[in-house]
Amino acid sequence: MKTIFDKSTRDELIGRIDTLTEDSSAQWGKMNVYQMLKHCRLWDEWVAGEKNKQVFVGRLFGRLALKNVLKDEKPLSRNTPTIPELRLNRLGENGDVESEKAKWIGMIEGYAHFSNPGFVHTFFGKMTREQIGYLAYKHADHHLRQFNS
């Protein structure tokens, strides 16, 4: 299974990010390309940042859901829910696509030196480095597929 911690996988993702333009349009979902880029950058910052608390429903179902998500190489489903803090589908929100691409690429490159052993996903709970690597790849891949990249 692909992991964000492999340099070749990071290079592949960066190549796919580079294909995005202001004119890229979503195959599904409500975000425009700028919103998607910003969402992905913020998601990676969240993974690299401070500890989070797991929500109650996540304590009940999170481990099982994580096991299901990471059981194989199948991409994340369309319209997979996200945590409320990272929802960026406000109508009309636009910005500098090239700048946001560069910021996200910087976050992807940062996984070469990733160190956040205490990461707690809001829904899935405490995750191992291996699980983070798989999920970070699947998340990026999901949104790049969303924009046909």
Side-chain angles (χ1 to χ4, degrees), residues 62-119:
R63 301 308 291 162
L64 181 62
L66 179 62
K67 186 177 178 181
N68 188 49
V69 166
L70 298 182
K71 71 181 176 189
D72 55 31
E73 294 189 26
K74 181 180 171 190
L76 295 176
S77 301
R78 290 182 177 196
N79 300 311
T80 299
T82 191
I83 63 171
E85 298 84 2
L86 297 177
R87 289 190 187 132
L88 293 175
N89 58 359
R90 294 183 283 285
L91 293 176
E93 182 179 349
N94 290 301
D96 184 346
V97 168
E98 291 303 314
S99 173
E100 208 54 54
K101 280 171 50 174
K103 290 175 188 175
W104 188 23
I105 288 170
M107 292 305 300
I108 298 287
E109 290 170 339
Y111 279 104
H113 309 288
F114 181 82
S115 179
N116 189 2
F119 175 69

Side-chain angles (χ1 to χ4, degrees), residues 18 24 29 32 43 47 56 59 79 92 98 120 125 127 138 148:
D18 277 336
S24 297
N32 63 36
W43 192 92
V47 171
F56 178 73
R59 287 190 208 135
N79 300 311
E98 291 303 314
V120 176
M127 294 176 64
K138 281 193 169 209
N148 206 25

Side-chain angles (χ1 to χ4, degrees), residues 4 13 17 20 31-48 76 82 85-88 100-108 111 135-147:
I4 198 105
L13 291 173
I17 292 167
L20 296 168
M31 291 189 286
N32 63 36
V33 68
Y34 169 77
Q35 292 164 342
M36 180 276 287
L37 290 163
K38 185 174 179 180
H39 162 82
C40 289
R41 174 186 51 88
L42 292 173
W43 192 92
D44 287 325
E45 287 177 358
W46 172 69
V47 171
L76 295 176
T82 191
E85 298 84 2
L86 297 177
R87 289 190 187 132
L88 293 175
E100 208 54 54
K101 280 171 50 174
K103 290 175 188 175
W104 188 23
I105 288 170
M107 292 305 300
I108 298 287
Y111 279 104
L135 185 62
Y137 171 77
K138 281 193 169 209
H139 181 260
D141 175 67
H142 169 77
H143 285 293
L144 290 167
R145 286 175 187 267
Q146 179 184 13
F147 282 81

